[in-house]
Amino acid sequence: REGVGKNGELGGGGGGGVRNYYGPQRFGSRCSGAYRGHAILEEVKGKEGKKAKKAANNARMSVKGVFALQAWQSMVFNVCLGRRSSPSPLVGDILLPASGEEGLSGERVTGKNRDDIQDGRKVTCCFPGNRVMKAYPNTPAGAVESEVLKEAGVDERALSMCDLWGSRRVAFLDFESLGFTFEVMEGGRDV
């Protein structure tokens, strides 16, 4: 892919990368943590005033509640990442510095700057929260992100009450940073 480097970086020579999914251990047994996190947000969303505040505080003050909310955020990130067709930057994507520092915001890719960015910034996906920079909804990247957030039932008020800031997370890891080896087995024994 001309103009796209390893890890979805702009300006490199081909490459691509491996999707930077959260692993299954993050979600609990049979994704129970992620479902519990969704249920907490739905409970907060369905209440008003002091009752909503109490439900949010209960979740925030409980280790299980915090883990459940983070599992839900991770699940939404994974779905968003899974819907990307390639590591190539899209108009509307938000890029992080080449150092890979994750954070609340970054630089948006526009039709004007897409071909000019040459410093290895990394494509991100949304780890949902009430303060995270989102891709523009009327762009290719934003359309994917908006669709996933809508399907997940993201409610800004509930995210805010549960104090879930969110983040931008690098979407693709380059092949060179992965350390693994293969052993060939033949007939049940090492070769």
Side-chain angles (χ1 to χ4, degrees):
R1 296 178 191 114
E2 192 64 33
V4 180
K6 53 189 165 161
N7 202 16
E9 300 164 350
L10 292 169
V18 178
R19 293 175 198 271
N20 190 17
Y21 286 119
Y22 281 101
Q25 70 279 6
R26 179 83 174 206
F27 309 114
S29 176
R30 294 185 217 147
C31 292
S32 61
Y35 293 127
R36 213 173 21 255
H38 184 260
I40 290 168
L41 290 169
E42 287 296 310
E43 179 183 3
V44 172
K45 181 172 144 181
K47 295 185 176 185
E48 293 295 326
K50 289 181 181 178
K51 289 182 179 181
K53 194 177 241 183
K54 183 178 180 185
N57 284 337
N58 287 343
R60 282 198 326 254
M61 297 303 168
S62 148
V63 171
K64 283 185 178 182
V66 170
F67 282 152
L69 291 166
Q70 291 174 348
W72 174 84
Q73 288 175 299
S74 303
M75 179 78 73
V76 173
F77 172 88
N78 279 2
V79 171
C80 193
L81 178 57
R83 298 231 180 127
R84 288 196 63 106
S85 58
S86 82
S88 300
L90 303 170
V91 171
D93 266 330
I94 298 172
L95 306 176
L96 292 179
S99 65
E101 297 169 13
E102 297 180 1
L104 296 173
S105 63
E107 181 181 355
R108 282 192 172 93
V109 176
T110 66
K112 292 180 182 178
N113 74 359
R114 185 171 190 257
D115 296 329
D116 297 332
I117 299 172
Q118 298 291 320
D119 67 357
R121 284 173 266 187
K122 300 181 187 321
V123 173
T124 64
C125 280
C126 183
F127 186 77
N130 64 314
R131 298 183 189 178
V132 69
M133 183 178 193
K134 295 177 184 73
Y136 289 129
N138 57 345
T139 64
V144 171
E145 197 168 286
S146 296
E147 180 181 309
V148 171
L149 295 175
K150 182 178 178 184
E151 287 173 13
V154 171
D155 179 75
E156 295 293 327
R157 183 180 76 80
L159 293 175
S160 181
M161 291 186 84
C162 289
D163 202 26
L164 296 177
W165 283 26
S167 185
R168 298 300 308 183
R169 176 177 156 100
V170 173
F172 297 90
L173 301 174
D174 68 63
F175 295 112
E176 294 167 6
S177 69
L178 299 176
F180 55 87
T181 58
F182 292 99
E183 290 184 29
V184 178
M185 301 279 290
E186 219 176 87
R189 64 185 201 288
D190 289 342
V191 176

